[in-house]
């Protein structure tokens, strides 16, 4: 695996002695005597296991017997009535299946506890059952002779870890080493001594310590010539059968003097010629035993000397370790995934506080994963709620920008009035974004982080260095580089001093604040169990390397770049892309910067590194974090995150390591792709596997990676390119998605009034309880005449997720409510792609409004002035207020993803302007003023309407009326002042207006 460079060029200490920084690895818990309570707990656990595993099947066999038919049933069996015996047999089958699942959980937990290696396997669909089995097995093993070594920490599952800050890795997958660089030397040494003391005592209690065997096995680290550098992970994989057992090798050899006089202080730093004592079950031809006559005298002497240091170290630690362990109050040496920590605590679950930052999307996604209509949607985006929310919000802003920019063009026939409807992969990706996005999670994350920054500023405290954030069970957990004291309320300490935790309930109480974004470099890497990990790229002490196949690496890089470019918890940043991503620029042209090659990167980043270092010195700041609080928080210290996808040469890799040595302090982060996992200067090494897992063995991470594969990447870019307001401004105008027959013969069967209060004509009112949901579903379909994917509909109506049967039942009710056309065809149907569409006989007033304006400006009204005036007048009469003006609180949240709230005011303004121009052609100024006034009720902020109103009022020939209107405009503008175009128009129409404004002021 990648190892930290030992050359001085990297600017990192070599760790050659006890004083060097050390990786924190999982520590065994302190041994304690068994109490009477432990015995009672174990006895009750034994009884419960006996009843559940043996008693349940026995009772079923005696009382019910064989529940299934003893011969193949005939077709007549399906039409027979269900009697009591049939129901009992079906219920018995369910109980048998539940028993089998629980028994499998017990076997998995027992195997994991007895082996003492890694995490227990996860039985599919057995969350609560496996938790119960784990607790019962843990309680039973607590009184066994080997409980201390087999199940350390298992008894604490489901309990608070406030007082157990030295928990072991047995409770969950851990990330040893992620906090090592910032820990104080004294606390690190004490923790190491205490850890080996506990480990030795546990082995002594088993009667199985390595020294007790006559032939202890050793391994000598091999030189790298012609092969990859050795790593503890690879050694464990070859000789123990599981790379995750590298921790055992590390525990046996930590802090022992090696032949070259140095010590093993970090699991990622081993050197050729070092000797590693191996666990007793190690195997393989490269191992040697002590004594062994088949090795050279020199090596035999080295092994003998090394064995003595091990015995001596263990005796010394047994004499000193207990007090040091008990007295240490430093940060925990492991990082437990918060979801595992809360496994038994229901107070922080989504049921109590709502969904987590990604659970709402996951719920709606998983609930329909097997649906026949789920084809075409990107599972990568369905499982990336924060990325999807960022992309969707950025796409909405881009489309609104195009609309507003089009408003500066001539009245009628503007290309930007109707955004293009995506098709193919782009449509599938847009649907996946709508289903997968969790904007509420993004909002809570942003407010929580800014609220923390504001609270620390109020207390005159600097921001702590945060390496990562976990979103788990609705809560936010910040993982600090080192203890930073008590967090400000409502934040609380987590399982140790390096975790600051905020519950979702407390996060919901945060309001918007003007604090600068404190950690804009946080980016999602993937999920581990039920927790989502966000790595703070700008805080990594060095380089983050990513190895794996090129296509897999590209999917990770694209995901990271896209989320950083569009996330909602940052203000400003620069994302420098090298070796990929030239086509990603449309996502955020102001953030993304693409460089051609590594040489251009060095030229750019060397200059920026010097500039940032000088700026920090001039401002008397130790790091960019101290510049993100206080008066200067909004003016500087935006991060620059470098994503280098190409493999650097050996010379460039060393040069890059030197450049990144001080990067974390300067707010610069480096994610570098590599074909190998031994990139110089790599503080953290990750690997992406072909099956989508992101592995970081030395950090103890095994994530389901967040990816943006090439097909989805191209489709996302296509959405943004199509929405670009600068793209082909002189291109053809877009036709409304649905044109209505506005003649008498085109009278619809169902007419919904959406512009203003919601009303439906032509349908009976549905049942009271289901009426709001049916109305909302119909409104969504009416606003998307191109079709709505069933999963998009269900995620819009039930953001927290829904099962397929509930969704299908709603669709059946909706079909029944809408009915059929005279020819018998249903008014709610599915197209060839499986998307839900409405028949042409179901129409909304918004459809009519668009059709009237289209006919007036591009259809029949072009050649007939009378027809144009009538159509425009009829259109303006339809406008009764804002869209769905009386919608209930908490419903129609999907409208935040839409741009119809921007389209409708622009459309009404265009109608008003066109009708005003129609009347002014015949010098009917009062009619023009009336039309503009009606349009201003729906679009009061449209500058074009006010300017046209000034012209119409000037056309009346009444200067007093014009002065009154000018004064009203000045009062409305407030401190911002009038827009430049309005000022210029007033200078032309009313040259003395400034005198009146000065007198008023």
């Amino acid at each position: 695996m990648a190892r930290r460079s030992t050359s001085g060029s990297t600017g990192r200490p070599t760790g050659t002695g006890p004083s060097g920084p050390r990786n924190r690895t999982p520590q065994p818990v302190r041994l304690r005597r068994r109490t009477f309570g432990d015995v009672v707990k174990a006895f009750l656990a034994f009884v419960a296991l006996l009843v559940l595993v043996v008693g349940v099947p026995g009772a079923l066999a005696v009382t019910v017997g064989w529940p299934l038919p003893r011969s193949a049933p005939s077709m007549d069996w399906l039409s027979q009535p269900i009697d009591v015996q049939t129901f009992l047999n079906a219920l018995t089958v369910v109980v048998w299946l539940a028993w089998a699942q629980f028994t499998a959980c017990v076997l998995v937990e027992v195997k994991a506890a007895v082996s003492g290696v890694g995490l227990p396997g996860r039985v599919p669909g057995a969350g609560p059952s496996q938790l119960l089995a784990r607790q019962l097995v843990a309680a039973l093993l607590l009184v066994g002779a080997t409980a201390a070594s087999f199940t350390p920490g298992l008894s604490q599952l489901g309990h608070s870890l406030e007082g157990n800050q030295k928990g072991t890795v047995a409770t969950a997958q851990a990330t040893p080493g992620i906090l090592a660089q910032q820990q104080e030397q004294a606390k690190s040494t004490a923790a190491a001594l205490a850890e080996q003391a506990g480990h030795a005592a546990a082995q002594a209690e088993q009667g199985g310590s390595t020294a007790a065997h006559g032939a202890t096995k050793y391994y000598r680290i091999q030189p790298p010539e012609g092969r990859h550098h050795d790593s503890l992970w690879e050694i464990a994989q070859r000789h123990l059968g599981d790379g995750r057992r590298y921790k055992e090798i590390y525990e046996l050899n930590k802090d022992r003097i090696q032949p070259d006089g140095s010590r093993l202080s970090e699991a990622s730093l081993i050197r050729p010629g070092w000797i590693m004592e191996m666990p007793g079950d190690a195997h393989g031809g490269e191992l040697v035993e002590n004594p062994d006559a088949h090795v050279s005298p020199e090596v035999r002497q080295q092994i003998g000397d090394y064995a003595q240091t091990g015995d001596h170290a263990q005796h010394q630690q047994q004499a000193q370790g207990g007090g040091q362990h008990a007295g240490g109050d430093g940060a925990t040496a492991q990082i437990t995934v918060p979801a595992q920590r809360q496994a038994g605590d229901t107070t922080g679950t989504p049921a109590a506080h709502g969904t987590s930052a990604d659970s709402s999307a996951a719920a709606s996604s998983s609930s329909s994963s097997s649906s026949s209509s789920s084809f075409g949607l990107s599972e990568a985006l369905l499982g990336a709620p924060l990325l999807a929310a960022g992309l969707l919000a950025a796409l909405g802003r881009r489309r609104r920008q195009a609309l507003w920019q089009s408003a500066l063009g001539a009245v009628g026939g503007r290309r930007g009035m109707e955004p293009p409807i995506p098709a193919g992969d782009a449509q599938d990706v847009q649907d996946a974004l709508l289903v997968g996005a969790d904007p509420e999670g993004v909002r809570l994350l942003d407010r929580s982080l800014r609220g923390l920054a504001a609270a620390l500023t109020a207390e005159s405290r600097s921001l702590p260095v945060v390496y990562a954030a976990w979103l788990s069970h609705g809560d936010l957990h910040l993982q600090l580089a080192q203890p930073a004291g008590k967090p400000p309320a409502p934040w609380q300490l987590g399982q140790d001093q390096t975790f600051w935790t905020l519950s979702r309930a407390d996060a919901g109480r945060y309001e918007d604040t003007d604090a600068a974004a404190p950690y804009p470099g946080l980016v999602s890497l993937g999920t581990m169990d039920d927790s989502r990990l966000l790595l703070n790229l700008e805080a990594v002490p060095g380089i983050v390397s990513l190895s794996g196949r090129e296509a897999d690496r590209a999917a990770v890089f694209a995901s990271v770049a896209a989320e950083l470019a569009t996330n909602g918890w940052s203000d400003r940043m620069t994302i420098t892309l090298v070796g990929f991503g030239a086509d990603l620029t449309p996502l955020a042209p102001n953030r993304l910067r693409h460089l051609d090659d590594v040489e251009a990167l060095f030229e750019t980043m060397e200059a920026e590194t010097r500039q940032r270092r000088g700026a920090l010195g001039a401002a008397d700041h130790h790091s960019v974090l101290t510049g993100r609080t206080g008066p200067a928080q909004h003016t500087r210290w935006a991060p620059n995150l470098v994503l280098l996808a190409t493999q650097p040469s050996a010379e460039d890799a060393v040069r890059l390591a030197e450049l990144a040595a001080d990067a974390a302090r300067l707010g610069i982060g480096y994610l570098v792709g590599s074909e190998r996992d031994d990139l110089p200067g790599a503080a953290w090494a990750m690997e992406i596997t072909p099956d989508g897992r992101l592995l970081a063995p030395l950090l103890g991470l095994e994530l389901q990676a967040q990816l943006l594969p090439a097909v989805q990447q191209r489709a996302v870019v296509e959405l943004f390119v199509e929405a670009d307001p600068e793209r082909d401004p002189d291109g053809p105008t877009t036709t409304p998605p649905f044109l209505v027959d506005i003649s008498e013969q085109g009278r619809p069967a169902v007419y919904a009034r959406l512009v203003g209060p919601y009303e439906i004509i032509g349908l009976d009112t549905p049942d009271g309880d289901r009426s709001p949901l049916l109305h909302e579903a119909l409104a969504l379909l009416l606003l998307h005449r191109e079709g709505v994917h069933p999963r998009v509909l269900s995620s819009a109506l039930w953001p927290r997720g829904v099962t397929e049967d509930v969704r299908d039942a709603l669709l059946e009710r909706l079909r029944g409510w809408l009915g059929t056309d005279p020819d018998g065809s249903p008014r709610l149907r599915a197209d060839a792609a499986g998307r839900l569409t409405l028949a042409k006989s179901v129409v909304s007033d918004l459809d009519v409004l668009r059709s009237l304006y289209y006919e007036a400006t591009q259809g029949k009204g072009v050649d007939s002035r009378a027809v144009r005036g009538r159509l425009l007048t009829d259109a303006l009469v339809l406008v009764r207020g804002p869209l769905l003006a009386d919608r209930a609180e908490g419903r129609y949240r999907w409208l935040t993803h839409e741009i119809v709230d921007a389209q409708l005011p622009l459309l009404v303004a265009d109608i008003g302007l066109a009708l005003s121009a129609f009347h002014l052609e015949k010098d009917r100024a009062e009619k023009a003023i009336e039309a503009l006034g009606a349009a201003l009720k729906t679009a009061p902020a449209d500058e074009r309407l006010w300017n046209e109103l000034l012209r119409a009022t000037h056309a009346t020939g009444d200067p007093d009326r014009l002065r009154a209107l000018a004064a009203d405009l000045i009062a409305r503008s407030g401190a911002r002042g009038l827009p430049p175009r309005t000022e210029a128009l007033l200078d032309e129409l009313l040259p003395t207006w400034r005198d009146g404004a000065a007198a008023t002021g």
Side-chain angles (χ1 to χ4, degrees):
M1 297 301 296
R3 49 176 85 178
R4 295 177 176 82
S5 174
T6 58
S7 64
S9 62
T10 65
R12 297 178 59 81
T14 63
T16 58
S19 61
R22 68 182 73 249
N23 265 29
R24 299 184 194 160
T25 57
Q27 296 181 350
V29 295
R30 298 192 300 270
L31 295 176
R32 62 181 180 85
R33 296 183 179 275
R34 294 183 292 275
T35 64
F36 178 74
D38 292 334
V39 177
V40 173
K41 183 187 296 185
F43 175 74
L44 295 177
F46 174 76
V47 172
L49 285 172
L50 191 63
V51 170
L52 293 173
V53 177
V54 180
V56 169
L60 290 174
V62 172
T63 58
V64 180
W66 182 251
L68 299 177
R70 299 186 181 277
S71 60
S74 62
M75 295 301 296
D76 296 337
W77 178 77
L78 297 177
S79 60
Q80 293 178 356
I82 299 176
D83 55 14
V84 175
Q85 186 59 42
T86 302
F87 176 77
L88 290 178
N89 287 342
L91 183 61
T92 303
V93 171
V94 173
V95 176
W96 271 109
L97 292 175
W99 170 83
Q101 184 188 60
F102 178 77
T103 303
C105 294
V106 172
L107 295 176
V108 167
E109 294 299 329
V110 170
K111 178 181 179 298
V114 172
S115 66
V117 178
L119 285 174
R122 298 185 65 187
V123 179
S129 297
Q130 190 160 8
L131 174 61
L132 176 61
R134 184 178 305 166
Q135 292 174 330
L136 292 175
V137 171
L140 180 61
L141 292 180
L142 272 177
V143 298
T146 58
S149 58
F150 281 164
T151 58
L154 280 174
S155 63
Q156 301 303 319
L157 277 174
H159 300 282
S160 171
L161 294 184
E162 189 70 28
N164 186 19
Q165 298 179 4
K166 301 293 188 294
T168 72
V169 77
T171 57
Q173 189 84 322
T175 54
I178 201 169
L179 300 180
Q181 283 72 21
Q182 302 296 331
Q183 187 64 348
E184 298 176 6
Q185 172 187 348
K187 292 180 180 178
S188 182
T189 303
L193 292 173
E195 184 176 337
Q196 286 195 355
H199 198 70
Q203 290 181 334
E205 182 172 309
Q206 298 176 59
S209 67
T210 306
H213 297 283
T216 305
K217 298 176 182 178
Y218 294 88
Y219 177 87
R220 197 164 186 265
I221 306 300
Q222 301 300 312
E225 287 81 15
R227 54 175 288 165
H228 292 297
H229 289 270
D230 248 341
S231 71
L232 293 186
W233 176 277
E234 293 171 340
I235 296 170
Q237 188 71 42
R238 290 197 306 269
H239 300 294
L240 299 176
D242 188 346
R244 289 175 293 183
R245 294 186 63 186
Y246 78 93
K247 307 180 186 80
E248 299 177 36
I249 305 175
Y250 179 78
E251 293 298 330
L252 290 173
N253 298 277
K254 185 175 61 174
D255 289 327
R256 293 171 62 175
I257 299 176
Q258 293 292 336
D260 61 358
S262 57
R263 301 171 186 262
L264 174 65
S265 59
E266 298 184 38
S268 61
L269 180 58
I270 58 176
R271 300 177 183 175
W274 279 10
I275 297 169
M276 296 288 113
E277 181 179 341
M278 302 293 290
D281 62 337
H283 54 82
E286 296 176 323
L287 300 177
V288 296
E289 297 181 347
N290 184 35
D292 193 331
H294 296 89
V295 298
S296 65
E298 179 184 0
V299 173
R300 189 162 58 245
Q301 180 64 38
Q302 290 178 353
I303 293 177
D305 294 340
Y306 188 75
Q308 292 179 3
T309 62
D311 292 339
H312 174 74
Q314 288 181 0
H315 289 308
Q316 183 181 20
Q317 289 153 9
Q318 288 174 352
Q320 300 176 358
Q324 292 168 331
H325 187 85
D329 59 353
T332 182
Q334 68 171 14
I335 297 179
T336 304
V337 179
Q340 293 286 339
R341 183 179 64 85
Q342 296 179 351
D345 182 9
T346 59
T347 61
T349 60
H353 302 306
T355 58
S356 66
D358 57 315
S359 58
S360 63
S364 60
S365 172
S366 62
S367 67
S368 305
S369 60
S370 61
S371 172
S372 60
S373 60
S374 65
F375 61 89
L377 299 191
S378 167
E379 294 299 330
L381 291 173
L382 292 176
L386 304 185
L387 169 61
L391 288 172
L392 203 58
L395 183 61
R397 290 192 297 269
R398 183 67 54 84
R399 288 172 172 170
R400 284 181 171 83
Q401 182 184 0
L403 283 174
W404 295 327
Q405 191 159 325
S406 71
L408 301 177
V411 175
R414 293 198 308 275
R415 177 179 180 276
M417 176 55 66
E418 299 294 339
I421 297 175
D425 290 338
Q427 187 176 22
D428 293 335
V429 162
Q430 179 173 279
D431 288 342
L433 293 177
L434 289 168
V435 175
D438 184 15
E440 177 67 11
V442 171
R443 185 184 69 86
L444 287 178
L445 177 62
D446 180 48
R447 286 187 173 183
S448 300
L449 295 176
R450 293 180 192 269
L452 175 63
L456 290 172
T457 299
E459 297 177 5
S460 299
R461 297 170 61 185
S462 298
L463 291 167
V465 177
V466 169
Y467 279 162
W470 293 93
L471 291 171
S472 176
H473 290 266
D475 297 342
L476 171 61
H477 307 259
L478 295 183
Q479 188 171 324
L480 312 185
Q482 59 185 2
K486 183 179 180 180
W491 291 78
Q492 298 178 351
L493 287 175
Q495 61 260 44
D496 59 46
Q497 299 289 326
T498 59
F499 267 95
W500 285 5
T501 299
L502 181 70
S503 70
R504 186 182 180 92
D506 291 332
R509 292 196 286 268
Y510 269 120
E511 300 293 338
D512 291 329
T513 177
D514 63 350
Y519 304 111
L522 286 170
V523 63
S524 302
L525 291 184
T527 57
M528 186 176 186
D529 296 328
D530 296 325
S531 300
R532 181 168 299 275
L533 172 64
L534 289 84
L535 179 67
N536 190 7
L537 273 181
E538 68 168 333
V540 176
I543 295 172
V544 179
S545 70
L546 177 65
S547 61
R549 298 189 312 182
E550 184 176 359
D552 299 325
R553 297 202 315 262
V556 175
F557 273 102
S559 170
V560 170
E563 184 169 301
L564 288 173
T566 60
N567 73 55
W569 54 86
S570 62
D571 297 323
R572 299 174 298 118
M573 72 168 64
T574 300
I575 307 160
T576 303
L577 310 181
V578 186
F580 83 107
D583 57 342
L584 288 175
T585 306
L587 272 59
N590 296 329
R591 283 192 179 187
L592 291 169
R593 172 177 62 181
H594 184 264
L595 300 180
D596 294 332
D597 51 32
V598 177
E599 194 56 40
L601 173 66
F602 284 132
E603 181 180 351
T604 301
M605 296 311 300
E606 285 174 351
E608 180 161 347
T609 299
R610 288 193 300 269
Q611 187 273 334
R612 287 186 175 234
R613 193 176 285 129
L616 280 176
D620 195 25
H621 290 316
H622 174 265
S623 73
V624 295
L625 289 179
T626 56
R628 288 187 185 150
T629 53
Q633 56 180 304
H634 291 286
T635 59
R636 61 184 78 182
W637 320 124
N640 188 343
L641 305 176
V642 178
L643 308 181
L644 174 58
T646 58
Q647 167 76 36
S649 65
E651 181 181 351
D652 288 340
V654 173
R655 188 177 175 188
L656 190 64
E658 295 175 347
L659 192 61
D662 198 26
R665 189 176 68 89
L666 304 177
I668 302 175
Y670 291 89
L671 176 62
V672 181
S674 175
E675 297 174 358
R676 299 172 56 180
D677 54 8
D678 56 354
L679 189 71
W684 297 341
M686 300 185 297
E687 176 190 1
I688 179 65
T689 64
D691 60 352
R693 291 180 302 134
L694 191 65
L695 307 179
L698 298 183
L699 302 179
L701 291 176
E702 184 173 339
L703 305 171
Q704 188 62 40
Q706 179 172 295
L707 306 172
L708 186 59
V711 174
Q712 283 76 39
Q713 177 185 336
R714 288 191 295 269
V716 166
V717 172
E718 180 183 341
L719 289 173
F720 278 81
V721 170
E722 289 293 330
D724 187 357
E726 302 294 337
R727 181 174 181 267
D728 193 14
D730 299 325
T733 59
T734 51
T735 305
F738 178 67
L739 290 175
V740 177
D741 182 359
I742 56 178
S743 66
E744 282 295 326
Q745 292 75 24
R747 184 180 299 275
V750 177
Y751 182 63
R753 305 178 74 181
L754 305 180
V755 183
Y758 192 179
E759 299 177 14
I760 297 179
I761 301 172
L763 292 177
D764 295 331
T765 302
D767 295 341
D769 292 341
R770 299 191 176 104
S771 178
L773 203 59
L774 291 173
H775 278 73
E776 185 174 355
L778 179 58
L780 177 62
L781 292 168
L782 286 167
L783 293 177
H784 290 277
R785 302 302 305 225
E786 73 277 10
V788 178
H789 197 290
R791 296 183 70 174
V792 174
L793 178 66
S794 62
S795 66
L797 300 180
W798 295 282
R800 297 184 180 183
V802 66
T803 57
E804 290 183 35
D805 57 335
V806 174
R807 182 198 65 191
D808 294 342
L810 172 77
L811 293 179
E812 285 304 315
R813 292 190 190 97
L814 188 58
R815 285 191 182 94
W817 182 43
L818 292 174
T820 59
D821 284 333
D823 61 359
S825 59
R827 291 172 181 156
L828 177 63
R829 59 194 70 170
D831 62 13
R835 290 179 170 83
L836 301 170
T837 60
L838 293 172
K840 292 184 178 180
S841 59
V842 182
V843 173
S844 74
D845 55 355
L846 186 58
D847 297 327
V848 177
L849 189 67
R850 287 168 170 162
S851 300
L852 288 170
Y853 179 67
Y854 178 80
E855 286 293 334
T857 57
Q858 301 179 54
K860 300 175 182 178
V862 174
D863 300 323
S864 173
R865 187 177 186 280
V867 171
R868 182 168 73 254
R870 178 174 56 81
L871 293 175
L872 291 173
T873 302
D874 290 346
L876 203 56
V877 170
L878 289 177
V879 181
R880 302 175 300 126
L883 188 75
L884 299 169
D886 58 350
R887 60 180 179 266
E889 182 72 22
R891 304 204 70 91
Y892 299 88
R893 293 183 179 178
W894 46 269
L895 281 173
T896 58
H897 300 316
E898 307 285 342
I899 61 169
V900 66
D901 60 335
Q903 285 177 302
L904 180 60
L906 285 176
L907 177 60
V908 173
D910 284 348
I911 294 172
L913 291 170
L915 189 56
S916 172
F918 171 83
H919 289 304
L920 287 177
E921 288 177 1
K922 296 296 184 179
D923 295 327
R924 294 197 291 263
E926 293 297 337
K927 288 286 187 180
I929 292 173
E930 181 181 349
L932 293 169
L936 280 169
K937 293 179 181 178
T938 301
D942 197 306
E943 179 189 355
R944 299 170 302 153
L945 290 175
W946 288 105
N947 290 348
E948 193 65 17
L949 185 60
L950 285 171
R951 293 188 181 95
T953 304
H954 180 264
T956 63
D958 187 346
D960 292 337
R961 189 173 179 181
L962 182 60
R963 276 191 290 269
L965 178 59
D968 184 31
L969 273 175
I970 295 170
R972 287 173 180 270
S973 64
R976 295 174 300 175
L978 293 174
R981 293 188 181 188
T982 304
E983 285 189 355
L985 181 61
L986 280 175
D987 286 338
E988 177 186 350
L989 302 179
L990 188 65
T992 60
W993 74 273
R994 296 182 187 274
D995 298 334
T1000 303

